[in-house]
Amino acid sequence: MDNIRVYLFAFCLFCLPSLTDAQTTNQSNMPPVVQPDTSKNTLMMPLNPQDTGKNGSGQFLTLQQCIEYAMQHQPALNKALINVNITKETNSVNLSGLLPQASASGDFIHYLQQSNNNSSSVSTGTPTGTGTTSTSTTRSGYTNTFIPGVSVTQSIFNPSLLYAYKSAPLYLKQAQQVTDSTKIFLVSSVSKSFYNVLLTLEQINVFKEDTTRLGKNLRDAYHQYKGGIVDETDYEEAAITLNNSKAQLKQATENVVPQYAALKQLMGYPVEKEFNVSFDTVQMIKGIYIDTTQQLQYEKRIEFQQIKTSKDLQTQLVNYYRTSYLPTLSAFYNYNLAFENNKFSDILSNSYPSQLVGLSFSIPIFTGFSRIHNLKKAKLQQQIIGWDETDLKLQINKEYRTALANYKGNYYNLQLLQKNVAMAKRVYFVVTLQYKQGIVPYLNVITAESNLITSEISYLNALFQVLSNKIDLEKAMGSINY
């Protein structure tokens, strides 16, 4: 067999010129074949790494930097942070009734007609349980009367204020948990979107290498065809394969544009600015590992913590309706200064001060059974929250089992595909040499090339799928750090 290969090689070396001349006449009736220019492979990327202009496209951001940027500029997170401050102010408004309440008032009276036994009713501003003010009657024979006064009240016991006091920290905790939930969503979403962009960019690199490789094969097939070694079909098959690779390259190039837009949306990145993604392949490979022996702990999930806070708030509401029959008690102090005179210009010449202090209380005797019905309603709502907790546990367990199964399956698939890539490269290298030696037809080269590109793309898909599965598993276990 080795001797035959030597004879074939010698025959091709010495007889090729004469065979070429002989085939020139036969090929004169065939349409001319235009040699393609595959030396240039221009790929327009959405971002230009060499551009360091005003648009900021020369900026490279790692995954951690993208997450940190999102934590500062993402609109949803900033709204959640504002809601925390709104909750603080709302609590301050609700608790303002615990502080003394002071007000000033005054009455100016001018009598158009008065009897000999004239009496004027002077408001003292004293609050009562019905929300009105008590009055005192004084004897006056003056035409003009001016009575300014100051009223101060202090709540001693009020079921509504007690409920507001106990619920205030829970409402603040609830708002902060919404912010934490938004942060967890951002870390998960930005990471997965970042991996999607990297996957497409890596696919573009694979397709570029494939296009370059197929371009070289096309030139070799063209020269062999012109030299009479192979027929026209080998050259055409090489051209078809190259065109298919170019189409895949173009599609991947277009796909990366909306993926960048999705990443910018999650980050809150300005539309008019651009950036490039940066990553360390070694660190990324190391980052796919996670301890799958950890036990699921429901308490780590932010949704479970939110349910617990809702239960605490509902418990406070039930307690409020239970004690709403208790009386309200408050203290008050009033100071009045009466000015009286028949002449308006001298009305401030004479004053008659008065002041008083006292307690005010109010007891709800009958409210149409509203307190009882509100209490029953609150207890029913409490039962609903309990069932929400049960349903949430089932949902968390399903998410955890699904994420764990996907991670294990795709991780095993990744290991196999990594071996496939190494074998596919070896097979393509050997088949290419065999084709150049005339041992195998070009169809074998096409098959080996197809297997190689499929193995590389499948490996990339599996790699980034495992990374996404890891994010889902960490989210299901409540172990995402932010």
Side-chain angles (χ1 to χ4, degrees):
M1 181 61 68
D2 295 337
N3 293 332
I4 293 176
R5 291 181 179 176
V6 173
Y7 292 150
L8 287 176
F9 178 75
F11 174 79
C12 294
L13 181 63
F14 294 104
C15 299
L16 183 58
S18 60
L19 290 175
T20 303
D21 295 337
Q23 290 184 359
T24 303
T25 305
N26 296 332
Q27 295 174 358
S28 60
N29 296 328
M30 298 177 61
V33 179
V34 180
Q35 181 179 4
D37 181 13
T38 58
S39 60
K40 296 181 180 180
N41 185 16
T42 303
L43 175 63
M44 297 301 296
M45 295 294 294
L47 303 176
N48 183 6
Q50 303 299 327
D51 181 14
T52 57
K54 296 182 180 180
N55 290 334
S57 59
Q59 183 180 13
F60 286 84
L61 298 179
T62 62
L63 174 58
Q64 184 61 34
Q65 290 174 331
C66 289
I67 294 175
E68 292 175 355
Y69 189 94
M71 291 295 177
Q72 298 179 1
H73 302 88
Q74 219 287 328
L77 179 58
N78 282 282
K79 289 192 292 184
L81 293 173
I82 293 176
N83 284 332
V84 173
N85 294 328
I86 292 177
T87 303
K88 292 180 180 179
E89 299 302 326
T90 302
N91 287 339
S92 299
V93 172
N94 295 335
L95 295 176
S96 61
L98 295 174
L99 300 177
Q101 309 293 308
S103 63
S105 61
D107 294 319
F108 176 78
I109 302 172
H110 174 73
Y111 291 97
L112 300 177
Q113 181 181 359
Q114 57 181 342
S115 61
N116 293 331
N117 296 326
N118 179 57
S119 62
S120 60
S121 179
V122 180
S123 173
T124 61
T126 304
T128 64
T130 60
T132 60
T133 58
S134 62
T135 59
S136 62
T137 303
T138 60
R139 309 287 294 182
S140 175
Y142 296 99
T143 304
N144 300 310
T145 303
F146 174 55
I147 308 174
V150 176
S151 175
V152 180
T153 61
Q154 172 63 59
S155 178
I156 299 176
F157 178 80
N158 190 314
S160 298
L161 289 176
L162 182 62
Y163 169 71
Y165 176 77
K166 291 184 177 181
S167 300
L170 294 177
Y171 281 117
L172 180 58
K173 182 179 180 180
Q174 189 178 56
Q176 291 172 342
Q177 287 174 342
V178 172
T179 303
D180 294 339
S181 179
T182 305
K183 290 181 179 180
I184 293 174
F185 170 78
L186 277 183
V187 173
S188 173
S189 300
V190 171
S191 298
K192 296 174 76 170
S193 181
F194 187 88
Y195 292 146
N196 286 337
V197 172
L198 285 186
L199 172 60
T200 305
L201 292 178
E202 287 298 303
Q203 288 177 345
I204 290 174
N205 292 333
V206 171
F207 287 134
K208 288 172 67 176
E209 294 176 359
D210 184 58
T211 303
T212 303
R213 188 164 53 239
L214 291 176
K216 181 178 181 302
N217 291 346
L218 179 60
R219 290 193 298 270
D220 293 342
Y222 173 79
H223 290 302
Q224 289 179 338
Y225 165 69
K226 295 296 291 184
I229 300 178
V230 298
D231 56 16
E232 186 179 6
T233 58
D234 283 4
Y235 165 73
E236 291 177 344
E237 289 176 349
I240 292 172
T241 307
L242 177 61
N243 290 336
N244 291 337
S245 180
K246 286 183 177 180
Q248 292 175 319
L249 176 59
K250 177 63 176 177
Q251 186 62 52
T253 305
E254 295 298 330
N255 289 341
V256 79
V257 178
Q259 290 176 351
Y260 261 109
L263 179 58
K264 290 171 66 176
Q265 179 188 8
L266 291 171
M267 295 172 54
Y269 203 84
V271 178
E272 65 277 4
K273 294 184 178 181
E274 301 291 348
F275 68 95
N276 293 286
V277 294
S278 175
F279 64 99
D280 187 347
T281 305
V282 177
Q283 290 298 118
M284 187 172 62
I285 296 297
K286 291 181 179 179
I288 67 176
Y289 303 107
I290 187 174
D291 185 10
T292 57
T293 61
Q294 300 181 59
Q295 297 297 320
L296 177 62
Q297 299 179 10
Y298 297 102
E299 295 78 11
K300 289 185 177 181
R301 285 289 295 263
I302 186 64
E303 297 87 351
F304 194 85
Q305 298 172 13
Q306 289 175 310
I307 284 287
K308 186 178 182 304
T309 303
S310 298
K311 289 179 62 178
D312 294 339
L313 280 171
Q314 194 63 28
T315 300
Q316 293 300 328
L317 183 61
V318 170
N319 293 335
Y320 164 70
Y321 286 126
R322 282 175 177 169
T323 58
S324 60
Y325 69 90
L326 296 176
T328 60
L329 180 64
S330 61
F332 62 86
Y333 167 78
N334 292 327
Y335 177 81
N336 297 293
L337 187 63
F339 297 93
E340 298 177 327
N341 202 295
N342 290 326
K343 191 175 182 180
F344 180 77
S345 58
D346 298 331
I347 193 172
L348 299 179
S349 60
N350 298 320
S351 62
Y352 307 93
S354 65
Q355 53 183 328
L356 55 91
V357 63
L359 294 175
S360 175
F361 69 93
S362 174
I363 301 176
I365 298 176
F366 180 73
T367 59
F369 303 105
S370 63
R371 183 187 70 85
I372 296 176
H373 292 303
N374 281 328
L375 179 59
K376 291 180 178 179
K377 175 184 174 182
K379 288 182 177 180
L380 291 175
Q381 292 173 337
Q382 199 173 34
Q383 294 179 15
I384 291 178
I385 296 177
W387 285 112
D388 287 341
E389 181 181 2
T390 302
D391 183 65
L392 179 62
K393 285 185 177 180
L394 296 174
Q395 180 181 349
I396 291 175
N397 182 70
K398 184 202 72 172
E399 292 178 0
Y400 169 72
R401 299 300 176 185
T402 302
L404 182 61
N406 290 337
Y407 175 80
K408 288 183 176 180
N410 287 318
Y411 181 75
Y412 179 76
N413 185 37
L414 175 64
Q415 293 176 319
L416 296 180
L417 291 175
Q418 188 175 13
K419 298 178 182 178
N420 287 350
V421 172
M423 290 188 292
K425 288 182 179 180
R426 174 64 180 171
V427 169
Y428 177 77
F429 174 75
V430 173
V431 171
T432 303
L433 290 181
Q434 289 177 341
Y435 171 73
K436 291 180 179 180
Q437 295 176 359
I439 299 176
V440 297
Y442 190 73
L443 179 60
N444 291 34
V445 179
I446 296 178
T447 303
E449 170 66 26
S450 177
N451 291 337
L452 177 58
I453 189 67
T454 302
S455 299
E456 291 178 335
I457 295 298
S458 298
Y459 173 76
L460 289 175
N461 289 334
L463 174 61
F464 288 99
Q465 187 62 48
V466 170
L467 290 171
S468 296
N469 292 148
K470 180 191 174 185
I471 295 296
D472 292 336
L473 183 57
E474 289 178 338
K475 183 179 179 181
M477 297 178 64
S479 56
I480 289 183
N481 297 321
Y482 51 89

